[in-house]
Amino acid sequence: MRVLPAQLPTYLVKKEEAYSPRGRNAIIRFAIENKLKLSGETERAIFTCLGCGACTAVCLSSVQTKDLIFQNRECQVDEGFYPKIVDRLVNTLDDVKNISDDDNEDRAEWQELIKELPEDAFEKAHADILFFVGCVASFFPMVQKIPANMAKILQKAGVDFTILGGDEWCCGFPPGGCRDGGDRLPAVRQDHGDAGQEEQERSGGKGPDRTGR
C-alpha cells in the first residue's frame, strides 16, 4: 500500500514504518498469522491511528486500513493492550453521559451564540427531525458555532426540528473506536430509545417524538 507521506498524519510525526498504513497492515496480518505477539509497541502503533481514512482515499488498491485497524483493536483489548485512559473515559460516560465530564444539562450552551433564540429553545416534544449535536459541538467552545449555525440554517429552511438538550447522551463512538469495539454503541442507542418511548407515552403518542420516531 503506497500513499503519499503528506497523507499520513501520525507517520509524519513518528517517522517509523509501524505508524504508516503499510506498517499497521503488516502488524495486523502478522498478528492474524500468529507471527507477531501483541505488545505495548503494537498497541501504540494501532491506537495512534486517527481513523481519518486519508490513507484509503489515496490508495490505488483502496485498502480499508481504518476498518482493519478498528477490528484489530478488539484483539488488542482482549489481550489488555489498549490506552488505559480509555477506562477513565468509559467511567466518565457512565457518570455524566459526555466525554468532557461536564454537567450534561449544559449541552445546549451553544445556543448563547444565537441572538434570536425561539421561546422553545429548539426543545420540542414533537418534530420531524432530531438534530443530534454531539459531545464536541456541545461542550467545546471552539466549535460551538457549528451547531449554532446549523440551527440557523434549519430555521431559515423552515425545517421542523428539535434537540435533546440534557437528554442527549454520547453517541458511543469514542469508546467504540478506542476500546469497546463498538459494543457500547447499541447500549447508548437503547438508552435513547427507552427515553424516547417514555417521552412519547407522556405526550400521548401524537406525532414523531424527540428521538425521531
Side-chain angles (χ1 to χ4, degrees), residues 62-84:
S62 298
V63 177
Q64 302 298 312
T65 299
K66 180 184 70 172
D67 295 340
L68 295 173
I69 286 176
F70 274 47
Q71 292 174 29
N72 181 260
R73 286 179 178 177
E74 295 186 47
C75 299
Q76 299 259 15
V77 170
D78 290 341
E79 297 295 326
F81 295 110
Y82 64 91
K84 299 307 183 288

PDB file of all heavy atoms in Angstrom, residues 62-84:
ATOM      1  N   SER A  62      -7.355   0.878  -2.724  1.00  0.00           N
ATOM      2  CA  SER A  62      -8.471   1.186  -1.813  1.00  0.00           C
ATOM      3  C   SER A  62      -8.521   0.244  -0.613  1.00  0.00           C
ATOM      4  O   SER A  62      -9.591  -0.219  -0.204  1.00  0.00           O
ATOM      5  CB  SER A  62      -9.808   1.139  -2.568  1.00  0.00           C
ATOM      6  OG  SER A  62      -9.841   2.110  -3.593  1.00  0.00           O
ATOM      7  N   VAL A  63      -7.351  -0.055  -0.054  1.00  0.00           N
ATOM      8  CA  VAL A  63      -7.294  -0.909   1.133  1.00  0.00           C
ATOM      9  C   VAL A  63      -7.987  -0.198   2.293  1.00  0.00           C
ATOM     10  O   VAL A  63      -7.676   0.954   2.597  1.00  0.00           O
ATOM     11  CB  VAL A  63      -5.833  -1.231   1.512  1.00  0.00           C
ATOM     12  CG1 VAL A  63      -5.789  -2.053   2.800  1.00  0.00           C
ATOM     13  CG2 VAL A  63      -5.149  -1.974   0.378  1.00  0.00           C
ATOM     14  N   GLN A  64      -8.919  -0.887   2.943  1.00  0.00           N
ATOM     15  CA  GLN A  64      -9.699  -0.293   4.030  1.00  0.00           C
ATOM     16  C   GLN A  64      -8.937  -0.414   5.354  1.00  0.00           C
ATOM     17  O   GLN A  64      -9.329  -1.141   6.273  1.00  0.00           O
ATOM     18  CB  GLN A  64     -11.060  -0.978   4.122  1.00  0.00           C
ATOM     19  CG  GLN A  64     -11.887  -0.900   2.856  1.00  0.00           C
ATOM     20  CD  GLN A  64     -12.229   0.531   2.476  1.00  0.00           C
ATOM     21  OE1 GLN A  64     -12.685   1.317   3.310  1.00  0.00           O
ATOM     22  NE2 GLN A  64     -12.014   0.878   1.213  1.00  0.00           N
ATOM     23  N   THR A  65      -7.842   0.302   5.440  1.00  0.00           N
ATOM     24  CA  THR A  65      -6.968   0.200   6.610  1.00  0.00           C
ATOM     25  C   THR A  65      -7.685   0.559   7.904  1.00  0.00           C
ATOM     26  O   THR A  65      -7.507  -0.105   8.929  1.00  0.00           O
ATOM     27  CB  THR A  65      -5.736   1.109   6.425  1.00  0.00           C
ATOM     28  OG1 THR A  65      -4.999   0.673   5.275  1.00  0.00           O
ATOM     29  CG2 THR A  65      -4.834   1.049   7.647  1.00  0.00           C
ATOM     30  N   LYS A  66      -8.499   1.591   7.868  1.00  0.00           N
ATOM     31  CA  LYS A  66      -9.187   2.016   9.088  1.00  0.00           C
ATOM     32  C   LYS A  66     -10.049   0.892   9.655  1.00  0.00           C
ATOM     33  O   LYS A  66     -10.024   0.629  10.865  1.00  0.00           O
ATOM     34  CB  LYS A  66     -10.061   3.240   8.798  1.00  0.00           C
ATOM     35  CG  LYS A  66     -10.826   3.748  10.020  1.00  0.00           C
ATOM     36  CD  LYS A  66     -11.752   4.897   9.668  1.00  0.00           C
ATOM     37  CE  LYS A  66     -12.926   4.425   8.837  1.00  0.00           C
ATOM     38  NZ  LYS A  66     -13.936   5.501   8.637  1.00  0.00           N
ATOM     39  N   ASP A  67     -10.802   0.217   8.801  1.00  0.00           N
ATOM     40  CA  ASP A  67     -11.666  -0.867   9.268  1.00  0.00           C
ATOM     41  C   ASP A  67     -10.850  -2.007   9.866  1.00  0.00           C
ATOM     42  O   ASP A  67     -11.224  -2.595  10.887  1.00  0.00           O
ATOM     43  CB  ASP A  67     -12.526  -1.394   8.116  1.00  0.00           C
ATOM     44  CG  ASP A  67     -13.510  -0.354   7.595  1.00  0.00           C
ATOM     45  OD1 ASP A  67     -13.791   0.607   8.343  1.00  0.00           O
ATOM     46  OD2 ASP A  67     -13.984  -0.496   6.457  1.00  0.00           O
ATOM     47  N   LEU A  68      -9.732  -2.318   9.224  1.00  0.00           N
ATOM     48  CA  LEU A  68      -8.869  -3.387   9.727  1.00  0.00           C
ATOM     49  C   LEU A  68      -8.292  -3.021  11.093  1.00  0.00           C
ATOM     50  O   LEU A  68      -8.209  -3.860  11.994  1.00  0.00           O
ATOM     51  CB  LEU A  68      -7.731  -3.651   8.736  1.00  0.00           C
ATOM     52  CG  LEU A  68      -8.146  -4.209   7.367  1.00  0.00           C
ATOM     53  CD1 LEU A  68      -6.947  -4.247   6.430  1.00  0.00           C
ATOM     54  CD2 LEU A  68      -8.744  -5.606   7.522  1.00  0.00           C
ATOM     55  N   ILE A  69      -7.916  -1.770  11.228  1.00  0.00           N
ATOM     56  CA  ILE A  69      -7.338  -1.311  12.494  1.00  0.00           C
ATOM     57  C   ILE A  69      -8.369  -1.374  13.615  1.00  0.00           C
ATOM     58  O   ILE A  69      -8.073  -1.824  14.728  1.00  0.00           O
ATOM     59  CB  ILE A  69      -6.785   0.117  12.342  1.00  0.00           C
ATOM     60  CG1 ILE A  69      -5.477   0.072  11.540  1.00  0.00           C
ATOM     61  CG2 ILE A  69      -6.560   0.773  13.703  1.00  0.00           C
ATOM     62  CD1 ILE A  69      -4.877   1.423  11.245  1.00  0.00           C
ATOM     63  N   PHE A  70      -9.588  -0.949  13.328  1.00  0.00           N
ATOM     64  CA  PHE A  70     -10.621  -0.979  14.360  1.00  0.00           C
ATOM     65  C   PHE A  70     -10.913  -2.414  14.796  1.00  0.00           C
ATOM     66  O   PHE A  70     -11.167  -2.679  15.971  1.00  0.00           O
ATOM     67  CB  PHE A  70     -11.899  -0.305  13.849  1.00  0.00           C
ATOM     68  CG  PHE A  70     -11.907   1.187  14.059  1.00  0.00           C
ATOM     69  CD1 PHE A  70     -10.810   1.954  13.712  1.00  0.00           C
ATOM     70  CD2 PHE A  70     -13.004   1.819  14.607  1.00  0.00           C
ATOM     71  CE1 PHE A  70     -10.799   3.326  13.900  1.00  0.00           C
ATOM     72  CE2 PHE A  70     -13.007   3.198  14.805  1.00  0.00           C
ATOM     73  CZ  PHE A  70     -11.905   3.953  14.452  1.00  0.00           C
ATOM     74  N   GLN A  71     -10.866  -3.343  13.852  1.00  0.00           N
ATOM     75  CA  GLN A  71     -11.076  -4.747  14.207  1.00  0.00           C
ATOM     76  C   GLN A  71      -9.912  -5.276  15.038  1.00  0.00           C
ATOM     77  O   GLN A  71     -10.107  -6.037  15.990  1.00  0.00           O
ATOM     78  CB  GLN A  71     -11.249  -5.581  12.941  1.00  0.00           C
ATOM     79  CG  GLN A  71     -12.541  -5.283  12.185  1.00  0.00           C
ATOM     80  CD  GLN A  71     -12.627  -6.020  10.861  1.00  0.00           C
ATOM     81  OE1 GLN A  71     -12.068  -7.094  10.712  1.00  0.00           O
ATOM     82  NE2 GLN A  71     -13.313  -5.431   9.895  1.00  0.00           N
ATOM     83  N   ASN A  72      -8.700  -4.864  14.677  1.00  0.00           N
ATOM     84  CA  ASN A  72      -7.532  -5.319  15.426  1.00  0.00           C
ATOM     85  C   ASN A  72      -7.536  -4.772  16.847  1.00  0.00           C
ATOM     86  O   ASN A  72      -7.033  -5.423  17.773  1.00  0.00           O
ATOM     87  CB  ASN A  72      -6.249  -4.904  14.709  1.00  0.00           C
ATOM     88  CG  ASN A  72      -5.000  -5.362  15.435  1.00  0.00           C
ATOM     89  OD1 ASN A  72      -4.359  -4.578  16.140  1.00  0.00           O
ATOM     90  ND2 ASN A  72      -4.652  -6.631  15.285  1.00  0.00           N
ATOM     91  N   ARG A  73      -8.109  -3.603  17.026  1.00  0.00           N
ATOM     92  CA  ARG A  73      -8.163  -3.024  18.369  1.00  0.00           C
ATOM     93  C   ARG A  73      -8.936  -3.919  19.330  1.00  0.00           C
ATOM     94  O   ARG A  73      -8.617  -3.989  20.519  1.00  0.00           O
ATOM     95  CB  ARG A  73      -8.798  -1.628  18.310  1.00  0.00           C
ATOM     96  CG  ARG A  73      -7.862  -0.581  17.730  1.00  0.00           C
ATOM     97  CD  ARG A  73      -8.515   0.785  17.646  1.00  0.00           C
ATOM     98  NE  ARG A  73      -7.576   1.768  17.118  1.00  0.00           N
ATOM     99  CZ  ARG A  73      -7.880   3.035  16.878  1.00  0.00           C
ATOM    100  NH1 ARG A  73      -9.105   3.471  17.118  1.00  0.00           N
ATOM    101  NH2 ARG A  73      -6.968   3.867  16.399  1.00  0.00           N
ATOM    102  N   GLU A  74      -9.944  -4.602  18.815  1.00  0.00           N
ATOM    103  CA  GLU A  74     -10.686  -5.525  19.665  1.00  0.00           C
ATOM    104  C   GLU A  74      -9.764  -6.632  20.178  1.00  0.00           C
ATOM    105  O   GLU A  74      -9.834  -7.019  21.346  1.00  0.00           O
ATOM    106  CB  GLU A  74     -11.858  -6.124  18.891  1.00  0.00           C
ATOM    107  CG  GLU A  74     -12.917  -5.111  18.490  1.00  0.00           C
ATOM    108  CD  GLU A  74     -14.130  -5.769  17.866  1.00  0.00           C
ATOM    109  OE1 GLU A  74     -14.619  -6.765  18.439  1.00  0.00           O
ATOM    110  OE2 GLU A  74     -14.590  -5.305  16.814  1.00  0.00           O
ATOM    111  N   CYS A  75      -8.903  -7.127  19.296  1.00  0.00           N
ATOM    112  CA  CYS A  75      -7.947  -8.165  19.699  1.00  0.00           C
ATOM    113  C   CYS A  75      -6.961  -7.614  20.718  1.00  0.00           C
ATOM    114  O   CYS A  75      -6.601  -8.293  21.685  1.00  0.00           O
ATOM    115  CB  CYS A  75      -7.198  -8.693  18.475  1.00  0.00           C
ATOM    116  SG  CYS A  75      -8.252  -9.456  17.222  1.00  0.00           S
ATOM    117  N   GLN A  76      -6.527  -6.386  20.500  1.00  0.00           N
ATOM    118  CA  GLN A  76      -5.593  -5.759  21.434  1.00  0.00           C
ATOM    119  C   GLN A  76      -6.235  -5.618  22.811  1.00  0.00           C
ATOM    120  O   GLN A  76      -5.603  -5.865  23.839  1.00  0.00           O
ATOM    121  CB  GLN A  76      -5.191  -4.370  20.913  1.00  0.00           C
ATOM    122  CG  GLN A  76      -4.500  -4.379  19.570  1.00  0.00           C
ATOM    123  CD  GLN A  76      -2.988  -4.227  19.668  1.00  0.00           C
ATOM    124  OE1 GLN A  76      -2.394  -4.386  20.721  1.00  0.00           O
ATOM    125  NE2 GLN A  76      -2.372  -3.933  18.549  1.00  0.00           N
ATOM    126  N   VAL A  77      -7.507  -5.240  22.815  1.00  0.00           N
ATOM    127  CA  VAL A  77      -8.220  -5.074  24.085  1.00  0.00           C
ATOM    128  C   VAL A  77      -8.319  -6.406  24.817  1.00  0.00           C
ATOM    129  O   VAL A  77      -8.122  -6.481  26.035  1.00  0.00           O
ATOM    130  CB  VAL A  77      -9.630  -4.495  23.838  1.00  0.00           C
ATOM    131  CG1 VAL A  77     -10.466  -4.549  25.116  1.00  0.00           C
ATOM    132  CG2 VAL A  77      -9.522  -3.060  23.345  1.00  0.00           C
ATOM    133  N   ASP A  78      -8.619  -7.466  24.074  1.00  0.00           N
ATOM    134  CA  ASP A  78      -8.737  -8.792  24.688  1.00  0.00           C
ATOM    135  C   ASP A  78      -7.444  -9.204  25.385  1.00  0.00           C
ATOM    136  O   ASP A  78      -7.467  -9.927  26.385  1.00  0.00           O
ATOM    137  CB  ASP A  78      -9.100  -9.839  23.628  1.00  0.00           C
ATOM    138  CG  ASP A  78     -10.526  -9.682  23.123  1.00  0.00           C
ATOM    139  OD1 ASP A  78     -11.329  -9.033  23.823  1.00  0.00           O
ATOM    140  OD2 ASP A  78     -10.828 -10.197  22.029  1.00  0.00           O
ATOM    141  N   GLU A  79      -6.314  -8.725  24.852  1.00  0.00           N
ATOM    142  CA  GLU A  79      -5.014  -9.061  25.435  1.00  0.00           C
ATOM    143  C   GLU A  79      -4.553  -8.011  26.446  1.00  0.00           C
ATOM    144  O   GLU A  79      -3.465  -8.118  27.005  1.00  0.00           O
ATOM    145  CB  GLU A  79      -3.967  -9.199  24.320  1.00  0.00           C
ATOM    146  CG  GLU A  79      -4.253 -10.318  23.331  1.00  0.00           C
ATOM    147  CD  GLU A  79      -4.198 -11.691  23.978  1.00  0.00           C
ATOM    148  OE1 GLU A  79      -3.384 -11.878  24.906  1.00  0.00           O
ATOM    149  OE2 GLU A  79      -4.976 -12.572  23.557  1.00  0.00           O
ATOM    150  N   GLY A  80      -5.374  -6.992  26.653  1.00  0.00           N
ATOM    151  CA  GLY A  80      -5.035  -5.966  27.640  1.00  0.00           C
ATOM    152  C   GLY A  80      -4.140  -4.864  27.120  1.00  0.00           C
ATOM    153  O   GLY A  80      -3.614  -4.065  27.904  1.00  0.00           O
ATOM    154  N   PHE A  81      -3.964  -4.798  25.799  1.00  0.00           N
ATOM    155  CA  PHE A  81      -3.105  -3.765  25.222  1.00  0.00           C
ATOM    156  C   PHE A  81      -3.951  -2.662  24.593  1.00  0.00           C
ATOM    157  O   PHE A  81      -4.340  -2.733  23.424  1.00  0.00           O
ATOM    158  CB  PHE A  81      -2.161  -4.378  24.179  1.00  0.00           C
ATOM    159  CG  PHE A  81      -1.172  -5.343  24.753  1.00  0.00           C
ATOM    160  CD1 PHE A  81      -1.276  -6.702  24.485  1.00  0.00           C
ATOM    161  CD2 PHE A  81      -0.148  -4.901  25.579  1.00  0.00           C
ATOM    162  CE1 PHE A  81      -0.374  -7.604  25.024  1.00  0.00           C
ATOM    163  CE2 PHE A  81       0.763  -5.796  26.123  1.00  0.00           C
ATOM    164  CZ  PHE A  81       0.648  -7.152  25.852  1.00  0.00           C
ATOM    165  N   TYR A  82      -4.272  -1.675  25.385  1.00  0.00           N
ATOM    166  CA  TYR A  82      -5.013  -0.513  24.907  1.00  0.00           C
ATOM    167  C   TYR A  82      -4.715   0.650  25.854  1.00  0.00           C
ATOM    168  O   TYR A  82      -4.298   0.435  27.004  1.00  0.00           O
ATOM    169  CB  TYR A  82      -6.517  -0.797  24.859  1.00  0.00           C
ATOM    170  CG  TYR A  82      -7.152  -1.053  26.202  1.00  0.00           C
ATOM    171  CD1 TYR A  82      -7.695  -0.008  26.957  1.00  0.00           C
ATOM    172  CD2 TYR A  82      -7.208  -2.337  26.736  1.00  0.00           C
ATOM    173  CE1 TYR A  82      -8.265  -0.237  28.192  1.00  0.00           C
ATOM    174  CE2 TYR A  82      -7.776  -2.574  27.969  1.00  0.00           C
ATOM    175  CZ  TYR A  82      -8.307  -1.526  28.699  1.00  0.00           C
ATOM    176  OH  TYR A  82      -8.866  -1.757  29.926  1.00  0.00           O
ATOM    177  N   PRO A  83      -4.898   1.892  25.417  1.00  0.00           N
ATOM    178  CA  PRO A  83      -4.624   3.050  26.285  1.00  0.00           C
ATOM    179  C   PRO A  83      -5.533   3.018  27.510  1.00  0.00           C
ATOM    180  O   PRO A  83      -6.752   3.104  27.393  1.00  0.00           O
ATOM    181  CB  PRO A  83      -4.942   4.250  25.384  1.00  0.00           C
ATOM    182  CG  PRO A  83      -4.831   3.720  23.994  1.00  0.00           C
ATOM    183  CD  PRO A  83      -5.306   2.302  24.061  1.00  0.00           C
ATOM    184  N   LYS A  84      -4.950   2.903  28.679  1.00  0.00           N
ATOM    185  CA  LYS A  84      -5.753   2.743  29.893  1.00  0.00           C
ATOM    186  C   LYS A  84      -6.569   3.987  30.238  1.00  0.00           C
ATOM    187  O   LYS A  84      -7.510   3.917  31.030  1.00  0.00           O
ATOM    188  CB  LYS A  84      -4.843   2.369  31.068  1.00  0.00           C
ATOM    189  CG  LYS A  84      -4.097   1.052  30.846  1.00  0.00           C
ATOM    190  CD  LYS A  84      -5.050  -0.079  30.486  1.00  0.00           C
ATOM    191  CE  LYS A  84      -4.346  -1.421  30.328  1.00  0.00           C
ATOM    192  NZ  LYS A  84      -3.530  -1.499  29.103  1.00  0.00           N
TER     193      LYS A  84
END
